[in-house]
Amino acid sequence: MAPRLTTSSYAVLCMLAIRPWAGYELTQQATRSLRFAWPKSERLLYSEPKKLVQHGMATSQQESVGERSRTVYTITNEGRTALDEWMATTPQPPVLEAEALLRLLFADHGTIDDAMAALDALSSDATETYEQVLDINAGYVDGQHPFPERVHVSVLFATFQLELSDLIIKWAEFARAEIAAWPTTEGLGMTDRTSEILEAITQRQSVLVPSEAR
């Protein structure tokens, strides 16, 4: 029976398909790319290659670097076959996990200041992600991509992160303006403004676009 691999296993297999990596190098590269699509702990990134070795999907070899030694992982033919098969499967649906949104969903249990603070944090985090992705990709213009043969994939991937971050920033600004008009977070129910937003939603219009611009 074929071994049961997780999405994290396949993520590491993808990285090994590019080139062999030591455990520490995997975490460094994950900071540049993997974390923007599949953020996982460093502990997991260190354990997954060992699991792949146990399943015959990768090999491990000890190398000496000065006075230290490191374990370098390399994908096997079995690993490439498994990766090819996984690429042909239907991906899992996306899952958004954001504590700021959770707090907004239950904003009527807190204050307006609480809701504003959550939105500020959400916007700040999105801005930071935007700048990080932009900085990484700006280096590609000067030929600083570690894998120049993959730059077409990396830049396309980056556009999603940039557009998503920009959307979050714009939505947070919209939500702040809406909450600023609330007298309280509790018991407002179906206000005229809520009805107006619902109308825009049912007409499949973006609430981020001013009504006069629609």
Side-chain angles (χ1 to χ4, degrees):
M1 185 176 66
R4 183 175 179 81
L5 302 181
T6 65
T7 303
S8 297
S9 303
Y10 287 113
V12 174
L13 264 182
C14 287
M15 295 180 69
L16 293 181
I18 298 174
R19 49 153 279 195
W21 300 90
Y24 176 68
E25 292 174 329
L26 278 173
T27 61
Q28 286 187 311
Q29 184 61 24
T31 300
R32 288 181 55 88
S33 58
L34 189 61
R35 71 183 174 97
F36 293 111
W38 198 253
K40 298 297 173 182
S41 67
E42 288 189 9
R43 178 183 299 178
L44 181 66
L45 288 176
Y46 275 111
S47 64
E48 282 298 334
K50 298 176 183 177
K51 182 196 300 184
L52 294 173
V53 171
Q54 292 174 352
H55 291 318
M57 304 293 178
T59 60
S60 61
Q61 182 177 351
Q62 291 295 123
E63 290 186 356
S64 296
V65 182
E67 297 182 354
R68 297 184 177 183
S69 64
R70 66 177 187 173
T71 303
V72 177
Y73 298 94
T74 304
I75 194 171
T76 63
N77 290 334
E78 291 82 356
R80 291 188 182 278
T81 298
L83 184 56
D84 289 343
E85 293 174 352
W86 175 71
M87 282 290 190
T89 63
T90 301
Q92 301 175 29
V95 177
L96 177 62
E97 183 178 295
E99 185 177 341
L101 290 181
L102 179 63
R103 295 190 185 194
L104 186 64
L105 180 61
F106 296 101
D108 51 341
H109 293 283
T111 67
I112 286 179
D113 286 344
D114 292 336
M116 289 294 198
L119 289 170
D120 288 345
L122 181 67
S123 181
S124 177
D125 289 339
T127 300
E128 183 177 352
T129 297
Y130 188 97
E131 294 299 331
Q132 289 174 347
V133 175
L134 196 61
D135 286 345
I136 291 173
N137 284 265
Y140 300 165
V141 178
D142 299 326
Q144 297 180 26
H145 196 293
F147 304 102
E149 72 281 4
R150 302 191 69 253
V151 69
H152 61 297
V153 176
S154 298
V155 171
L156 182 61
F157 172 79
T159 61
F160 176 83
Q161 293 298 330
L162 292 171
E163 293 293 336
L164 178 60
S165 296
D166 189 53
L167 175 63
I168 292 173
I169 294 167
K170 290 178 179 177
W171 177 84
E173 182 179 356
F174 158 77
R176 275 195 294 259
E178 294 299 320
I179 293 175
W182 292 356
T184 178
T185 60
E186 299 179 71
L188 298 182
M190 183 65 77
T191 66
D192 290 342
R193 176 56 180 160
T194 299
S195 179
E196 182 181 334
I197 293 174
L198 273 174
E199 178 64 22
I201 291 174
T202 56
Q203 296 298 320
R204 299 191 177 187
Q205 298 173 345
S206 174
V207 295
L208 303 186
V209 179
S211 58
E212 62 270 15
R214 293 179 191 143

